[in-house]
Amino acid sequence: MRARLYMFAVSNPGHSARLMLERKGIETQIVNLLPGLHPLLLWGLGFRRGTVPALKLDGRRIEGSLEIARELERLVPEPPLYPPDPERRRTVEQAERWGEAELQPIPRRIFRWTLAQDNGARAQFAATVGVPLPKLAGALSWPSARLLAARVHADEAHVRAALTNLRATLDHVDGLIADGVIGGEEPNAADFQIAPTVRLLGAFQDLAPAVAGRPCDALARRYVPRMPEAPPFLPAELKALALTAPRPR
Ligand SMILES: N[C@@H](CCC(=O)N[C@@H](CS)C(=O)NCC(=O)O)C(=O)O
């Protein structure tokens, strides 16, 4: 089987796909794309969505972490990504869908909202991902940063809500671990969907204190030991929402 995975180092679902391919024992060529330019590159390669993860498997194009999970399970049933028992499978699929639809966009929105309005943050990010002349690249990438933010509703209202709810969201992940849905000895598709996002949230220095020491932090580090760190970029008032504001009921 010939597999080529398009992703980049700070893509949470990119890591989900990478982990699933590893679990299935499929030797994979990883192609790290330049974040921001990646939709154009992917469209040029014949992928329709222009998002990572994008997988070329024996010449076929598969896009999206959920779709990749389903297709890998169909092609290589062992070791399984979903439990054989139907009731347990439903629970894992539900957690996986929540991880994809609710949890996954949180760091994406926070980060893109910041990039869309903060020149310095864009320059810093360009340097982190190895773009030459990062200051210039940061300044020139303003229009694409705005576009990428708009694509995921990365606006102040969504960011405030995500930060206010962050600890409750992480409590939910800890609950899934306590209930044995994820975090078992044998990882499942929900582990691979959820762990990279928790790891990414913990790699934002602003948010690390909300994540550190939790069961979900240990799980995230088990599957994604290394993640590039994002230096502090949130205004103090927004950071306080995530760390100290009373939790919503
Ligand atoms: N839910 C999708 C999300 C994919 C996604 O949005 N990936 C981001 C990077 S983490 C991306 O490539 N976005 C490009 C864009 O929004 O145009 C999945 O799990 O595959």
Side-chain angles (χ1 to χ4, degrees):
M1 205 170 268
R2 278 178 307 116
R4 187 182 298 148
L5 176 67
Y6 297 93
M7 59 174 287
F8 47 78
V10 291
S11 165
N12 37 347
H15 285 285
S16 303
R18 178 184 60 75
L19 289 166
M20 291 187 279
L21 284 153
E22 258 172 44
R23 175 75 177 154
K24 293 292 190 184
I26 300 173
E27 206 176 308
T28 304
Q29 180 193 2
I30 305 276
V31 181
N32 279 303
L33 300 177
L34 198 59
L37 277 187
H38 68 285
L40 287 179
L41 297 170
L42 288 169
W43 287 321
L45 289 164
F47 290 96
R48 284 199 187 165
R49 292 189 196 170
T51 60
V52 294
L55 177 67
K56 199 143 181 217
L57 195 60
D58 283 342
R60 284 181 49 225
R61 292 174 179 80
I62 309 162
E63 295 175 77
S65 57
L66 293 182
E67 291 79 356
I68 290 171
R70 298 296 183 283
E71 195 53 16
L72 292 181
E73 191 74 344
R74 191 181 72 78
L75 294 171
V76 185
E78 294 294 331
L81 293 173
Y82 301 91
D85 172 66
E87 185 60 30
R88 270 208 32 83
R89 180 172 179 136
R90 256 195 303 280
T91 318
V92 166
E93 284 179 339
Q94 199 179 12
E96 183 196 25
R97 276 196 301 275
W98 175 83
E100 192 265 348
E102 307 288 331
L103 181 67
Q104 202 194 88
I106 294 174
R108 188 176 297 137
R109 284 203 182 113
I110 296 171
F111 197 53
R112 288 190 190 187
W113 179 71
T114 303
L115 291 182
Q117 49 183 0
D118 184 340
N119 237 335
R122 281 199 303 284
Q124 218 156 31
F125 181 58
T128 306
V129 296
V131 177
L133 304 174
K135 268 192 177 161
L136 181 67
L140 292 178
S141 62
W142 179 73
S144 74
R146 290 284 296 257
L147 203 71
L148 285 168
R151 265 166 77 89
V152 296
H153 308 292
D155 52 41
E156 184 168 344
H158 278 96
V159 168
R160 279 182 179 272
L163 292 171
T164 307
N165 290 319
L166 182 67
R167 284 170 298 161
T169 303
L170 295 170
D171 287 347
H172 181 69
V173 181
D174 286 342
L176 291 172
I177 296 172
D179 292 345
V181 179
I182 57 173
E185 219 159 276
E186 300 294 328
N188 60 47
D191 283 281
F192 292 142
Q193 180 60 242
I194 290 170
T197 298
V198 174
R199 187 68 185 89
L200 187 57
L201 285 165
F204 289 178
Q205 287 180 16
D206 285 318
L207 305 180
V211 183
R214 285 175 172 268
C216 63
D217 186 31
L219 180 74
R221 287 173 187 276
R222 177 168 135 203
Y223 290 119
V224 189
R226 281 179 308 281
M227 177 70 82
E229 288 212 344
F233 55 78
L234 283 176
E237 184 237 339
L238 291 187
K239 182 173 159 178
L241 285 180
L243 303 186
T244 56
R247 295 172 188 218
R249 288 177 182 271

